[in-house]
Amino acid sequence: MIVCVAVVGHQNNPLYLQSFTGSDDALKLHHIVHCSLDVIDERVNNPKRSASTLNETFLGLLYPTENYKVYGYLTNTKVKFIMVTTDLDVKDADVRSYFRKFHAAYVDAVCNPFHVPGKKITSNSFSERVGTIVRSFGPSMTL
Amino acid sequence: MIGVGKPKQYGNVLDKPLSRGRQEVSLSAFAFLFSELVQYNQTQVDNIAELERRLEDAGYAVGARVLELLCHRDKGNRRETRLLGILSFIHSTVWKVLFGKVADSLEKGTEHEDEYMISEKELLVNRFISVPKDMGAFNCGAFVAGIVRGVLDGAGFPAVVTAHFVPIEGQQRPRTTILIKFAEEVLRREARLG
């Protein structure tokens, strides 16, 4: 179950932050998202393997905390998508297809001529689409 | 893709094909809209440089969005980190999506290390525009230069992009060249990446 999604701009400024559990956990989830930004920076600037993984968009599992897993995805414009989930046995393919749908929703939100790049995403239809994508995340997902 | 044509009329909406259809906008619609954009900006400014800057800013917004869209649609999982990679991406993919064909040529400048040029015999946006003599070297291709600058900036390659007319002997209309001058940090990073 996804508990939090976030979109962070290329200067690490938050563009969209949404949590899907009760509000008492929201602050902790925001903090987890913030910490995972450091992990992303470290992955991007110091590639562990050869140059072939230098420009992959899907960053994979960033770090596991006590009962959450955090996944990251980096777009071509250095905009980062972060997803926090409580599932223990989530498959890689599921996460990749989730990020693909999320990227599609993000591109549509950015193509809005009234959206200023660098400002927060305020579109209601984007929030609804994200809600739908998050609700349909799970092992039964087909694309 | 910008092309010439009238969309086919269907008597019954159930007869329309289920496919995504041709992704085309009529050239005349775009030409009218672009000419209106230029005219509107002309009333707001006092001099040529300001007009060019406004067109470029309009193109910048387009370029940023085009980059997001194309990276999601075409590029799969890759992210461009090399200079030549992003230049050939602009020269083929971006040009193909915007103008329906790849750009005519991509060259490296000879005088300076950080200059590259994309040339086009006739920019699509300039096709129905003729610039009056008293406007000097003004080129509505500043809009396209803005698009290129938006794409480069979004991808992390800050650059100064301008559009110029280059007269060619034997042809009446001069060729248009988009001159891309990369910032210092891009060259340093490129040298470091080897």
Side-chain angles (χ1 to χ4, degrees), chain A residues 44 52 54-57 74-79 96 100 103-104 106-107 110-113 115, chain B residues 60 64-69 71-72 75-81 86 89 154-156 189 193:
Chain A
V44 164
S52 67
L54 191 56
N55 45 9
E56 272 288 314
T57 49
L74 184 68
T75 68
N76 209 22
T77 47
K78 300 254 177 87
V79 172
R96 278 182 195 263
R100 209 165 43 236
H103 196 169
Y106 170 74
V107 165
V110 164
C111 283
N112 182 355
H115 169 259
Chain B
Y60 183 88
R65 288 170 173 86
V66 155
L67 176 67
E68 291 274 1
L69 188 66
C71 287
H72 177 60
K75 296 290 288 172
N77 284 344
R78 299 278 116 193
R79 188 168 72 92
E80 294 294 340
T81 45
I86 191 72
F89 172 69
R189 186 176 71 203
L193 282 176

Side-chain angles (χ1 to χ4, degrees), chain A residues 37-127:
Chain A
L37 290 179
D38 276 339
V39 182
I40 292 186
D41 268 339
E42 178 191 306
R43 287 261 183 107
V44 164
N45 294 333
N46 309 317
K48 287 187 290 212
R49 289 171 292 214
S50 64
S52 67
T53 51
L54 191 56
N55 45 9
E56 272 288 314
T57 49
F58 177 60
L59 298 171
L61 182 65
L62 294 178
Y63 68 68
T65 62
E66 65 295 348
N67 43 4
Y68 299 121
K69 282 187 183 178
V70 183
Y71 286 89
Y73 182 97
L74 184 68
T75 68
N76 209 22
T77 47
K78 300 254 177 87
V79 172
K80 309 158 183 85
F81 301 152
I82 298 175
M83 186 257 275
V84 183
T85 176
T86 52
D87 275 344
L88 293 175
D89 57 344
V90 56
K91 287 201 290 294
D92 201 45
D94 282 345
V95 181
R96 278 182 195 263
S97 74
Y98 160 80
F99 272 125
R100 209 165 43 236
K101 292 200 238 174
F102 192 82
H103 196 169
Y106 170 74
V107 165
D108 284 344
V110 164
C111 283
N112 182 355
F114 295 111
H115 169 259
V116 178
K119 292 280 173 67
K120 292 198 178 219
I121 299 179
T122 53
S123 143
N124 286 336
S125 59
F126 177 70
S127 307

Side-chain angles (χ1 to χ4, degrees), chain B residues 120-147:
Chain B
E120 185 89 25
K121 190 152 150 276
E122 172 87 66
L123 271 185
L124 194 82
V125 303
N126 278 346
R127 210 160 117 179
F128 299 114
I129 294 185
S130 66
V131 181
K133 284 260 178 2
D134 55 352
M135 295 187 79
F138 173 64
N139 189 342
C140 288
F143 184 66
V144 177
I147 295 181

Side-chain angles (χ1 to χ4, degrees), chain B residues 65-126:
Chain B
R65 288 170 173 86
V66 155
L67 176 67
E68 291 274 1
L69 188 66
L70 288 186
C71 287
H72 177 60
R73 231 191 242 170
D74 294 336
K75 296 290 288 172
N77 284 344
R78 299 278 116 193
R79 188 168 72 92
E80 294 294 340
T81 45
R82 305 307 304 260
L83 202 76
L84 281 187
I86 191 72
L87 280 176
S88 62
F89 172 69
I90 294 181
H91 167 271
S92 36
T93 315
V94 175
W95 234 257
K96 196 147 178 51
V97 161
L98 291 180
F99 306 121
K101 63 189 219 5
V102 302
D104 283 346
S105 68
L106 169 66
E107 295 151 11
K108 189 164 151 52
T110 41
E111 301 104 49
H112 303 276
E113 269 306 305
D114 53 354
E115 283 184 359
Y116 288 82
M117 294 168 297
I118 295 184
S119 317
E120 185 89 25
K121 190 152 150 276
E122 172 87 66
L123 271 185
L124 194 82
V125 303
N126 278 346

